[in-house]
Amino acid sequence: MYYRDQQGEVTERKVWPVVLGYSDITCMLIAWCELRQGFRHFRTDRIHAVEILDEKIGESRSRLLQRWKAQSIAALAQITTEAG
């Protein structure tokens, strides 16, 4: 995937898609990013181009979703703890 960041720089990313989500103002692709070795949220309006590869991803989609949910819950708990 070729992704344009806030500064307009286009980077090449190999991602493992997990969730496609929508809000009132934007659509987001949540994916495991091999470049950053972590889950990232990509605005779909900033995706410049996509190439679908034949190779298999490293984990099942359900396992990736479980890991993303656990990470999100931990991050929210951290924010709540720091705010309290």
Side-chain angles (χ1 to χ4, degrees), residues 1-7 9-17 29 31-43 46-53 55:
M1 170 176 85
Y2 294 91
Y3 186 75
R4 183 177 31 88
D5 65 16
Q6 283 182 323
Q7 292 73 34
E9 181 180 339
V10 176
T11 58
E12 183 177 359
R13 308 286 185 104
K14 185 184 283 189
V15 300
W16 305 349
L29 171 66
W32 174 264
C33 176
E34 287 191 4
L35 177 66
R36 302 291 184 219
Q37 288 297 297
F39 292 101
R40 292 292 188 265
H41 299 148
F42 299 98
R43 286 179 40 169
R46 292 186 180 163
I47 296 174
H48 184 69
V50 174
E51 178 183 350
I52 298 175
L53 305 175
E55 64 189 77

Side-chain angles (χ1 to χ4, degrees), residues 1 3 16 19 26 58-60 73:
M1 170 176 85
Y3 186 75
W16 305 349
V19 174
T26 190
E59 294 184 52
S60 70
I73 290 168

Side-chain angles (χ1 to χ4, degrees), residues 18-76:
V18 179
V19 174
L20 185 60
Y22 301 88
S23 73
D24 291 339
I25 57 174
T26 190
C27 179
M28 302 290 285
L29 171 66
I30 300 166
W32 174 264
C33 176
E34 287 191 4
L35 177 66
R36 302 291 184 219
Q37 288 297 297
F39 292 101
R40 292 292 188 265
H41 299 148
F42 299 98
R43 286 179 40 169
T44 57
D45 60 333
R46 292 186 180 163
I47 296 174
H48 184 69
V50 174
E51 178 183 350
I52 298 175
L53 305 175
D54 289 332
E55 64 189 77
K56 298 218 182 253
I57 62 173
E59 294 184 52
S60 70
R61 185 195 163 278
S62 62
R63 178 67 183 131
L64 285 170
L65 184 58
Q66 287 175 336
R67 287 181 49 214
W68 172 73
K69 284 180 180 179
Q71 180 179 310
S72 298
I73 290 168
L76 183 58

